[in-house]
Amino acid sequence: MSDKPARYASWTSGKLALPELQELKRRSEKIVMVTAYDAPSARLADAAGVDLILVGDSSGMVVHGRESTVPVTLEEILFMTQWVTRGAKRPIVVADMPFGSYETSNEQAIGNAVRLVKEGGADAVKLERGGTSVARAKAIVDAGIPVMGHVGLTPQTATVLGGFKAQGRTAGRAQELIRDALELQAAGCFAIVLEAVPSTVARAATKALAVPTIGIGAGAATDGQVLVWHDMLGYSEGHAPRFVKRYADIGDAIVDALGRYAEDVRSGAFPEEQHTYAMPAEELKAFERR
Ligand code: KIV
């Protein structure tokens, strides 16, 4: 049996228990979340000790090269969730509910959340916005599935928000945002993502909420942080948003490696003897005779 990592309150040899997040907030210990979209990345995130993995619909942009998250389908998230849950053992895996998978009715929301848990292996789901999403969140929680809320910049409805820009920058909007977060908490959400909001607003929301807040572009006062895999590792196209801190230059490392591979193939330096298979001498002779 493996030892309990010091940062967790309860003994845990396998999957991190959901109440640990609340406990981390209580002890003012930061919660670490990152997105991942496949098994090897999930395994690495697990090895690095992250607490939560989000199978985000950001995949639509950073993996599938789309302009927005809107076209992402439930089937895509379902596939990726299956891959991620094969790679990640300890972190809590949260599957994003893509646009169109929960807006129509509580029944639609429950049905699709059940698929993400039952077929995808997710531990929880995430949906965006307050308003009608509050009733959807409550319906999913009542069906026995943990839900994470998401307010502030909600990329699925970025057009309504006037684009990919910071939210809650007026007193009125800041108040609405905190009200949405409180309603999601009352609906039973176990945590709320705050995306692209002023740090002062995120601080007030974090204080007002009993459940943990996970910030992205929301300053340092939230209970935890989330970053998109490709952005933080330098593996995305174009400029990452200003709130991203880049921890590696994987894209450059890949271009360099592929460049050296191409050079070796063209010069004949690869493959070498060690990369090839031999035949027993007598078989080779027989083969040559034929
Ligand atoms: O899809 C995603 O990656 C997200 C995070 C930015 C929170 O929703």
Side-chain angles (χ1 to χ4, degrees):
M1 286 202 284
S2 58
D3 291 338
K4 173 179 93 61
R7 63 188 253 93
Y8 300 131
S10 61
W11 192 90
T12 166
S13 64
K15 177 65 71 179
L16 186 62
L18 212 53
E20 277 289 345
L21 303 178
Q22 192 70 53
E23 181 58 24
L24 288 169
K25 173 167 180 139
R26 196 187 63 73
R27 287 191 272 126
S28 300
E29 285 202 33
K30 297 288 185 184
I31 297 165
V32 183
M33 180 165 173
V34 70
T35 68
Y37 314 104
D38 57 31
S41 310
R43 186 178 49 76
L44 295 174
D46 191 346
V50 310
D51 304 308
L52 292 139
I53 295 179
L54 173 65
V55 186
D57 61 1
S58 48
S59 54
M61 298 171 80
V62 298
V63 179
H64 301 137
R66 295 183 176 118
E67 291 293 314
S68 85
T69 61
V70 171
V72 173
T73 66
L74 187 81
E75 299 304 323
E76 288 171 9
I77 297 285
L78 199 50
F79 263 135
M80 292 185 290
T81 305
Q82 288 170 348
W83 305 334
V84 165
T85 52
R86 279 178 208 139
K89 299 305 167 206
R90 185 190 299 277
I92 294 163
V93 176
V94 182
D96 235 348
M97 298 201 68
F99 184 64
S101 71
Y102 59 94
E103 290 83 353
T104 310
S105 65
N106 288 352
E107 291 67 31
Q108 181 207 30
I110 296 171
N112 286 329
V114 166
R115 286 196 70 196
L116 291 171
V117 169
K118 200 170 163 138
E119 297 172 43
D123 302 304
V125 300
K126 174 169 86 58
L127 42 73
E128 294 189 3
R129 295 187 306 114
T132 51
S133 294
V134 175
R136 305 291 179 261
K138 179 164 178 1
I140 298 169
V141 171
D142 287 349
I145 296 173
V147 178
M148 177 178 268
H150 181 161
V151 297
L153 172 55
T154 47
Q156 294 176 5
T157 43
T159 311
V160 177
L161 300 176
F164 287 84
K165 56 187 199 188
Q167 299 298 308
R169 297 182 84 181
T170 63
R173 280 299 297 136
Q175 206 178 357
E176 277 170 32
L177 191 147
I178 294 178
R179 188 206 55 211
D180 286 345
L182 286 167
E183 284 179 6
L184 286 163
Q185 171 177 269
C189 288
F190 69 91
I192 315 278
V193 169
L194 304 176
E195 179 166 355
V197 302
S199 55
T200 41
V201 178
R203 182 186 300 278
T206 301
K207 219 167 150 202
L209 290 162
V211 297
T213 55
I214 309 289
I216 175 162
T222 51
D223 297 307
Q225 297 289 329
V226 56
L227 280 178
V228 169
W229 183 271
H230 292 61
D231 292 343
M232 68 171 295
L233 296 177
Y235 191 20
S236 46
E237 259 183 83
H239 284 295
R242 60 169 271 162
F243 54 71
V244 172
K245 181 169 176 184
R246 190 177 270 204
Y247 286 86
D249 286 306
I250 300 297
D252 290 348
I254 291 175
V255 171
D256 175 63
L258 291 176
R260 286 185 289 112
Y261 164 63
E263 222 174 272
D264 278 1
V265 170
R266 289 181 184 129
S267 69
F270 173 81
E272 296 162 52
E273 202 50 43
Q274 56 177 315
H275 305 121
T276 56
Y277 299 100
M279 232 177 166
E282 60 280 16
E283 290 299 328
L284 178 59
K285 265 193 198 143
F287 177 59
E288 281 169 351
R289 270 200 306 277
R290 279 181 218 183

